[in-house]
């Protein structure tokens, strides 16, 4: 019976086990079950009334085997309960002993966050059965979890105790001793020569890094699974140098001390090989000469199989072209190329590149999934893959980028492996593409405070970045406002109490009439600033600066030089009203000025996403023009009276006369001279994002601005100049000047001042020309739809001049520092920077700059 593999007990029934015989099952009953009902056990046992079994025999052995395989029982026995008179029918009893149930799973030695992670990984629930298999599996998962975190000496103990409250239940406690975190101290390479340096070998190990300077931003934790992969990828360094036969002879991982590991790797480098003959077969669409121009490998080059693979199938640097993309951009989705070594002689290798072109594939179904809020047509107009078009790899990649940069969806999700699916059908030469988008909160509620312009400014605003005017009259859509068409509607209010108030509203439609990539933008604003003070308990408001304004713009995407370019046209009107405004911000204290201008700007944006771009660039160049009023003027003032002159050149705006009281007066008062301001304003901004290692990004930026005049006699405009220095927060100077940040210096401190006859203070800001250069190293801490957090270190330099004749582009004020940015969808970008200005002892040195609810 022991050999039979099951237990058969016959208590009052005598059975001759030495002579197996067949019986009919008269019935079966279950004994010992508590959690499982009888029918469940009988169904799993496979022993039912009416079947014929042999005693002893394989049928009853199978009953025990099947029930034990469920892992719900500690012991299973089959007993003969009784036999009939003729002894050809038997009644059986299956006796089971169920495994104990766990009433509670406990953890000791773990942190609260770790406990949550472990519970998700283990998926252990109260009431499940407990076995050695469950225990050992849990211990293995816990150990692997901590080893991934660098705790290579983690120990896990298990304590089991009977539950005094719940019958037949136990409590299980996992006692975790993490030990010290273990990092890789050194990796020793041997067997390599000068062609393959230790740096190249270390660089090819993607997830296993020693504590060296070039691995400063990389994790030094040892991960067994990743190390096994790196044991293979490290050989790519030899393959790139032509050593196709290189192999890892032996390696060892050992403890240097309680907190550090060492790794020794010994290689057999083999001989170095070179390309001899490279031939193409199977290519009919493109001639071999065209393919060789992309391959860029010729006879005598080092036999670099890694670069060969990148030139054939991609995977190289951003923007590099490859053979596969050449074909796939022209519809050949089913294209394949296989390099074959056809001959190896001494150190020379002949390679035949065998191409299977297939037939061009056309797009069939384009599916958008996950757009629960945003209308599907809004997403479809962004993608460049359309049903019936030939498949194009470049169009597909551009479509992913356009969706990521919309702002309505999680950019990290759409750009990841699960963000899209390409489903080819080679039978009919078609392909379906599925875009899996993930909606994220895009509207922003801004409640913030910030220090700018030597005052604390409170801001309240709301921005609906997915507004829908089309659903405006749909009552069901007002939850709280109609959304879904990617339009932008925003309202903003700023104040610091009695000194400053600002109101603004704007609307932007990215696709005018919904058919062409032409944007329409409208905005209006009003701001008021007072130099209020208390005198004898009365609040004085006799000093005031007010601005009224309106903007209307049209932008259209261009097809040449490429479709990353957008041309914007903007018409704006502003009115500045100054009442006894004696501060030295502007060139005069009293009067009204009107500003009617047209702006033409050309931009190109190829970044991969908005919030944390890793690759691509942003360039913009613009010119803002007002009518040259002074060039049409053929009159002046003499002794306060208007007189005609022959030409605008004869007008002297600085002329004076003596009035009846004997006082000297300006012929051209500020109200006359600056009623309509005139200028031409030129700006350039160029930003490049370069992914260095992983998510470490280098951002470089250059900026330039110039405010010019049409008529030297009339001079520079009293408004629209540049004020450089500080955090770039406009504070209460929202309009009238352009604020340019330069961290490490106090607000506006780098802006020159010039004397003016119209101001009581005798001077005003005169920043008519500036340049600025920034190098910023960024690294993300959190990249999630709910929040994006990254840290940065920067080098910055810039300066500001009052006249172009004084311009010296590299005579800059330098600074350096660090900072952090936090982007929350409902609020916007928050941040703080610390900068140190090196070149201005008065306004530089250590400075903190805060950004709350504002991007810059």
């Amino acid at each position: 019976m022991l050999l039979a593999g099951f237990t058969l007990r016959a208590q009052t029934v005598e059975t001759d086990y030495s002579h197996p015989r067949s019986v009919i099952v008269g019935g079966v009953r279950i004994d010992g079950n508590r959690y499982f009902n009888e029918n469940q056990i009988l169904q799993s046992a496979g022993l039912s009334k009416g079947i014929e079994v042999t005693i002893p025999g394989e049928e009853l052995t199978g009953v025990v085997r099947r029930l034990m395989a469920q892992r719900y029982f500690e012991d299973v026995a089959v007993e003969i309960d009784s036999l009939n008179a003729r002894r050809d029918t038997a009644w059986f009893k299956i006796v089971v002993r169920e495994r104990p149930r766990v009433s509670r799973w406990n953890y000791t030695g773990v942190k609260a966050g770790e406990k949550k992670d472990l519970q998700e990984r283990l998926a252990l629930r109260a009431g499940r059965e407990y076995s050695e298999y469950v225990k050992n599996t849990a211990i293995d998962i816990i150990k692997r979890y901590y080893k991934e975190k660098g705790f290579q000496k983690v120990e896990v103990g298990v304590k089991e105790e009977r539950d005094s409250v719940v019958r037949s239940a136990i409590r299980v406690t996992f006692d975790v001793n993490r030990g010290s975190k273990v990092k890789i101290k050194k990796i020793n390479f041997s067997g390599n020569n000068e062609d393959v340096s230790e740096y190249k070998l270390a660089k090819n190990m993607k997830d296993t890094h020693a504590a060296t300077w070039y691995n400063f931003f990389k994790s030094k934790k040892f991960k067994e699974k990743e190390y096994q992969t790196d044991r293979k990828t490290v050989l790519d360094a030899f393959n790139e140098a032509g050593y196709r036969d290189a192999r890892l002879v032996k390696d060892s991982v050992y403890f240097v001390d309680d907190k550090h590991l060492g790794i020794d790797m010994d290689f057999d480098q083999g001989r170095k090989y070179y390309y001899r003959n490279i031939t193409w077969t199977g290519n009919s669409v493109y001639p071999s000469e065209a393919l060789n121009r992309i391959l860029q490998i010729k006879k005598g080059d080092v036999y670099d199989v890694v670069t060969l693979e990148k030139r054939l199938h991609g995977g190289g640097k951003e923007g590099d072209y490859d053979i596969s993309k050449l074909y796939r951009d022209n519809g050949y989705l089913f294209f394949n190329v296989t390099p074959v070594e056809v001959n190896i002689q001494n150190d020379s290798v002949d390679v035949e590149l065998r191409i299977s072109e297939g037939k061009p594939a056309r797009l069939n179904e384009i599916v958008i999934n996950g757009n629960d809020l945003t209308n599907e047509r809004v997403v479809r107009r962004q993608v460049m893959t359309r049903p019936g078009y030939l498949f194009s790899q470049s169009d597909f990649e551009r479509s992913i980028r356009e969706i990521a940069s919309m702002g309505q969806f999680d950019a990290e999700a759409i750009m990841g492996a699960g963000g899209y699916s390409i489903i080819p059908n080679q039978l009919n030469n078609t392909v379906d593409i599925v875009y899996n988008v993930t909606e994220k909160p895009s509207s922003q509620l801004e409640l913030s405070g910030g220090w700018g312009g030597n005052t604390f400014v409170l801001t309240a605003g709301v921005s609906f970045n997915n507004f829908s005017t089309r659903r405006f009259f749909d009552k069901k859509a007002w939850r709280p406002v109609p959304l879904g068409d990617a339009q932008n509607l925003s309202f903003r209010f700023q104040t610091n109490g009695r000194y400053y108030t600002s109101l603004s509203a704007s609307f932007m439609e990215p696709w005018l009439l919904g058919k062409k990539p032409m944007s329409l933008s409208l905005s209006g604003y009003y701001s008021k600033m007072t130099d209020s003070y208390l005198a004898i308990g009365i609040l004085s408001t006799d000093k005031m600066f007010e601005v009224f304004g309106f903007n209307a713009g049209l932008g259209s995407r261009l097809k040449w030089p490429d479709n990353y370019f957008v041309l914007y046209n903007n018409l704006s009107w502003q009115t500045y009203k100054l009442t006894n405004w004696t501060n030295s911000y502007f060139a005069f204290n009293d009067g009204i000025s009107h500003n009617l201008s047209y702006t033409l700007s050309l931009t190109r944006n190829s970044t991969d996403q908005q919030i944390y771009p890793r690759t691509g660039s942003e360039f913009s160049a613009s010119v803002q023009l007002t009518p040259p009023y002074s060039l049409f003027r053929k009159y002046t003032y003499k002794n306060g009276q208007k007189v005609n002159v022959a030409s605008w050149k004869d007008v002297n705006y600085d002329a004076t006369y003596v009035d009846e009281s004997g006082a000297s007066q300006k012929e051209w008062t500020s109200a006359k001279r600056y009623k309509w301001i005139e200028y031409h304003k030129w700006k350039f901004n160029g930003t490049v994002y370069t992914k260095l290692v992983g998510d470490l990004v280098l951002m470089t930026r250059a900026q330039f601005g110039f405010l010019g005049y049409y008529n030297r006699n009339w001079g520079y405009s009293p408004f629209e100049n540049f004020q450089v220095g500080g955090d770039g927060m406009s504070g209460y100077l929202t309009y009238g000047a352009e604020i340019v940040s330069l961290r490490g210096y106090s607000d506006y401190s780098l802006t020159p001042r010039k004397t003016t006859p119209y101001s009581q203070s005798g001077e005003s800001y005169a920043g008519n020309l500036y340049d600025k250069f920034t190098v910023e190293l960024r690294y993300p801490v959190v990249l999630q739809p709910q929040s994006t957090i990254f840290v940065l270190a920067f080098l910055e330099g810039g300066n500001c001049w009052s006249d172009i004749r004084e311009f010296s582009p590299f005579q800059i004020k330098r600074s350096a520092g660090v900072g952090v940015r936090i982007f929350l969808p409902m609020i916007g970008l928050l941040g703080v920077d610390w900068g140190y200005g090196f070149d201005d002892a008065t306004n530089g040195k250590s400075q903190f700059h805060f950004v709350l609810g504002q991007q810059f």
Side-chain angles (χ1 to χ4, degrees):
M1 294 305 298
L2 292 174
L3 293 176
F6 72 96
T7 303
L8 181 62
R9 302 190 186 100
Q11 297 172 337
T12 60
V13 179
E14 294 184 3
T15 303
D16 187 359
Y17 295 109
S18 62
H19 295 86
R21 59 193 178 89
S22 297
V23 297
I24 301 299
V25 178
V28 183
R29 68 185 182 90
I30 308 298
D31 188 28
N33 58 311
R34 172 178 172 80
Y35 296 103
F36 292 93
N37 63 50
E38 187 170 306
N39 289 333
Q40 286 178 304
I41 299 175
L42 287 175
Q43 188 176 5
S44 300
L47 187 64
S48 59
K49 181 180 180 180
I51 68 171
E52 185 177 343
V53 297
T54 302
I55 303 175
E58 185 62 32
E59 298 92 341
L60 299 181
T61 304
V63 171
V64 176
R65 185 182 298 119
R66 284 189 291 273
L67 291 177
M68 292 297 292
Q70 302 296 317
R71 294 199 179 98
Y72 299 135
F73 309 105
E74 288 185 330
D75 186 34
V76 176
V78 180
E79 298 179 357
I80 300 176
D81 214 9
S82 63
L83 292 169
N84 66 353
R86 295 193 302 271
R87 303 180 68 85
D88 60 355
T89 301
W91 282 261
F92 293 89
K93 179 172 65 174
I94 301 176
V95 182
V96 298
R97 186 167 73 247
E98 295 177 338
R99 296 186 184 278
R101 298 291 171 134
V102 180
S103 61
R104 182 178 296 177
W105 303 91
N106 297 318
Y107 305 86
T108 59
V110 302
K111 297 179 180 178
E114 296 172 345
K115 180 179 179 180
K116 183 179 180 181
D117 292 341
L118 288 173
Q119 288 173 334
E120 291 177 355
R121 292 196 181 196
L122 293 168
L124 296 174
R125 65 186 185 278
R128 76 169 291 176
E129 74 286 345
Y130 184 71
S131 65
E132 284 296 314
Y133 173 80
V134 172
K135 180 179 75 172
N136 293 333
T137 302
I139 290 174
D140 182 61
I141 292 174
I142 294 172
K143 284 186 175 182
R144 280 191 280 115
Y145 171 78
Y146 280 102
K147 285 183 177 181
E148 288 174 3
K149 290 180 169 290
F151 298 97
Q152 297 299 319
K153 291 188 173 184
V154 59
E155 295 291 339
V156 181
V158 181
K159 183 180 179 181
E160 306 156 10
E161 56 184 354
R162 289 288 175 181
D163 194 314
S164 58
V165 178
V166 183
R167 180 184 173 189
S168 301
I170 62 173
R171 295 180 180 180
V172 178
T173 301
F174 294 103
D175 183 21
V176 180
N177 181 9
R178 300 185 306 172
S180 300
K181 184 173 285 190
V182 178
K183 295 184 178 182
I184 303 171
K185 184 176 183 179
K186 58 182 179 179
I187 303 177
N188 301 312
F189 302 105
S190 60
N192 57 303
N193 61 19
E194 62 276 1
D195 281 352
V196 186
S197 66
E198 292 190 1
Y199 173 75
K200 288 183 178 179
L201 292 171
K203 186 178 179 181
N204 276 272
M205 301 182 75
K206 305 302 181 184
D207 296 293
T208 308
H209 309 294
T212 56
W213 64 270
Y214 48 80
N215 289 328
F216 182 78
F217 291 102
K218 297 177 181 178
S219 172
K220 316 303 185 300
K221 294 183 293 187
F222 178 80
K223 302 177 183 179
E224 178 64 32
K225 184 178 179 180
E226 286 76 5
Y227 173 65
Q228 295 303 322
T229 301
D230 285 338
R231 292 173 74 252
K232 300 174 183 177
T233 59
V234 70
L235 295 176
D236 288 345
F238 292 99
N239 298 152
E240 284 183 288
Y243 297 94
R244 64 181 291 276
D245 300 328
R247 62 189 181 91
L248 178 61
V249 178
K250 62 180 180 179
D251 67 307
S252 60
V253 181
Y254 54 92
F255 281 95
V256 177
D257 52 50
D258 289 341
K259 296 183 179 181
H260 296 94
L261 282 176
I263 301 176
D264 293 339
M265 307 185 79
D266 184 26
F267 300 95
D268 178 8
Q269 188 165 285
R271 72 183 305 173
K272 191 172 186 177
Y273 291 84
Y274 301 86
Y275 285 103
R276 188 167 62 180
N277 298 316
I278 303 174
T279 56
W280 299 86
T281 61
N283 55 307
S284 60
V285 178
Y286 298 101
S288 299
E289 293 77 13
L291 300 178
N292 282 328
R293 282 195 293 270
I294 297 176
L295 190 65
Q296 298 181 27
I297 297 175
K298 60 183 183 297
K299 185 176 182 178
D301 285 353
V302 170
Y303 185 60
D304 178 358
V305 295
V306 176
T307 301
L308 175 66
E309 180 66 20
K310 292 178 181 178
R311 302 271 172 83
L312 292 178
H313 298 108
K317 295 180 180 179
E318 187 76 21
D320 284 355
Y321 214 53
D322 55 79
I323 302 297
S324 178
K325 194 169 186 179
L326 173 69
Y327 274 90
R328 289 164 71 94
D329 274 352
N330 289 277
Y332 290 90
L333 176 63
F334 308 111
F335 160 85
N336 185 41
V337 56
T338 305
V340 179
E341 298 174 347
V342 293
N343 187 26
I344 300 174
Q345 186 174 359
N346 297 326
D347 64 350
S348 301
V349 181
D350 293 338
V351 178
E352 185 176 270
L353 302 172
R354 299 175 182 175
I355 289 179
S356 173
E357 293 177 332
K359 294 183 179 180
R362 291 194 176 273
L363 297 171
N364 183 32
E365 294 286 340
I366 307 298
V367 181
I368 312 294
N369 286 333
N371 54 314
D372 303 323
L373 180 63
T374 305
N375 292 323
E376 185 167 318
R377 63 183 180 83
V378 173
V379 186
R380 288 191 178 276
R381 71 192 185 190
Q382 296 295 128
V383 302
M384 298 185 175
T385 50
R386 310 287 172 84
Y389 285 19
L390 281 174
F391 176 82
S392 169
Q393 182 70 25
S394 293
D395 286 349
F396 168 70
E397 293 173 357
R398 176 68 183 277
S399 299
I400 292 293
R401 174 201 169 273
E402 290 296 323
I403 294 175
S405 60
M406 285 179 64
Q408 276 72 47
F409 306 111
D410 179 15
E412 297 296 325
I414 187 65
M415 298 179 71
Y420 55 84
S421 298
I422 300 177
I423 308 171
N425 187 340
Q426 200 162 359
L427 294 177
N428 57 11
N429 297 308
T430 61
V431 57
D432 298 337
I433 297 179
V434 180
Y435 297 102
N436 300 311
V437 299
T438 304
E439 295 269 9
K440 71 173 185 178
S442 56
S443 298
Q444 296 179 1
L445 175 65
E446 183 181 358
L447 296 171
S448 63
W451 184 265
N454 296 319
T455 184
F456 191 79
V457 182
L458 297 176
T459 303
V462 62
S463 177
F464 302 105
N465 297 321
N466 199 4
F467 192 73
S468 175
T469 55
R470 189 174 59 89
R471 305 177 63 196
F472 193 84
F473 297 102
D474 183 0
K475 294 181 179 179
K476 298 180 180 179
W478 287 84
R479 298 181 179 177
V481 295
L483 300 173
D485 283 347
Q487 298 167 342
N488 178 274
L489 177 67
S490 64
F491 302 94
R492 200 163 187 259
F493 171 74
Q494 277 187 305
T495 185
N496 72 340
R498 60 194 179 193
Y499 297 104
Y500 170 71
T501 301
S502 173
L503 296 168
S504 65
S506 66
F507 172 78
M508 194 273 288
E509 164 59 74
W511 283 63
L512 189 61
L513 303 179
K515 295 182 178 180
K516 293 184 178 181
M518 177 179 289
S519 63
L520 169 68
S521 59
L522 302 170
S523 66
Y525 47 86
Y526 166 75
S527 71
K528 179 179 70 174
M529 185 167 62
T530 64
D531 197 4
S532 303
Y533 60 92
L534 284 170
I536 321 177
I538 300 174
L539 181 65
S540 171
T541 58
D542 60 332
K543 298 181 179 182
M544 187 178 299
F545 171 53
E546 295 177 276
V547 181
F548 308 83
F550 178 79
N551 286 305
L554 284 175
S556 58
R557 183 187 295 169
L558 305 180
K559 296 182 178 179
W560 186 89
D562 61 38
N563 54 14
Y564 287 109
F565 281 90
V566 177
L567 185 68
Y568 289 98
N569 298 269
N570 188 76
L571 186 66
S572 67
W573 161 76
Q574 288 175 312
T575 294
Y576 305 101
K577 183 179 179 181
L578 285 76
T579 305
N580 193 27
W581 193 248
T582 56
N583 291 324
S584 59
Y585 295 125
F586 305 113
F588 62 96
N589 303 137
D590 286 280
I592 297 177
S593 289
H594 302 285
N595 179 10
L596 179 65
S597 67
Y598 166 73
T599 303
L600 179 67
S601 62
L602 182 66
T603 68
R604 186 183 189 275
N605 186 338
S606 62
T607 57
D608 57 343
Q609 59 168 288
Q610 289 181 335
I611 306 303
Y612 189 78
R614 298 175 178 83
T615 60
S617 60
E618 298 175 83
F619 290 96
S620 66
S622 67
V623 56
Q624 185 176 359
L625 306 169
T626 66
Y629 304 105
S630 67
L631 300 185
F632 305 131
R633 189 171 291 142
K634 292 186 178 181
Y635 66 88
T636 187
Y637 291 92
K638 189 172 183 181
N639 296 323
Q641 301 298 316
K642 186 176 181 180
V643 296
N644 294 326
V645 292
S647 168
W648 58 269
K649 297 180 181 179
D650 299 325
V651 179
N652 182 4
Y653 293 96
D654 297 322
T656 60
Y657 72 99
V658 179
D659 62 12
E660 296 177 354
S661 64
S664 178
Q665 303 289 341
K666 297 285 294 184
E667 293 282 9
W668 283 87
T669 63
S670 60
K672 297 174 182 177
R673 183 172 181 174
Y674 298 127
K675 182 177 181 181
W676 290 94
I677 62 173
E678 61 180 52
Y679 58 88
H680 53 91
K681 190 175 185 178
W682 305 78
K683 293 193 296 181
F684 171 80
N685 188 324
T687 306
V688 177
Y689 300 94
T690 306
K691 182 162 66 173
L692 300 179
V693 178
D695 288 327
L696 180 66
V697 175
L698 178 69
M699 187 277 288
T700 54
R701 176 179 292 151
Q703 295 173 258
F704 171 81
F706 169 59
L707 182 70
Y709 51 74
Y710 299 110
N711 182 351
R712 180 176 292 275
N713 292 337
W714 189 86
Y716 288 104
S717 167
F719 303 103
E720 298 300 321
N721 52 23
F722 307 101
Q723 296 182 6
V724 180
D727 51 28
M729 295 181 67
S730 57
Y732 54 78
L733 283 178
T734 306
Y735 307 106
E738 185 168 335
I739 311 302
V740 180
S741 71
L742 209 158
R743 293 164 287 187
Y745 298 90
S746 54
D747 292 341
Y748 325 134
S749 61
L750 302 182
T751 309
R753 293 174 179 266
K754 285 287 186 179
T755 58
T756 172
Y758 300 113
S759 174
Q760 293 183 20
S761 64
E763 62 176 14
S764 66
Y765 283 122
N768 299 314
L769 182 68
Y770 88 96
D771 66 1
K772 177 184 170 183
F773 308 95
T774 304
V775 176
E776 202 167 270
L777 200 62
R778 300 176 171 184
Y779 190 78
V781 179
V782 176
L783 291 176
Q784 298 293 336
Q786 297 81 7
S787 63
T788 298
I789 304 174
F790 62 90
V791 294
L792 59 89
F794 66 86
L795 297 173
E796 203 159 65
N799 210 344
C800 189
W801 297 266
S802 61
D803 194 278
I804 194 170
R805 291 171 294 184
E806 303 170 357
F807 179 53
S808 180
F810 300 110
Q811 184 185 347
I812 59 176
K813 306 295 185 181
R814 301 163 299 167
S815 66
V818 295
V820 62
R821 295 289 183 273
I822 303 174
F823 180 83
L824 301 174
M826 289 297 293
I827 298 176
L829 191 68
L830 314 175
V832 60
D833 292 325
W834 172 83
Y836 189 90
F838 299 105
D839 299 315
D840 191 326
T842 303
N843 301 300
K845 297 188 176 180
S846 179
Q847 299 276 344
F848 279 96
H849 306 284
F850 298 94
V851 181
L852 298 107
Q854 178 182 356
Q855 297 189 32
F856 73 93

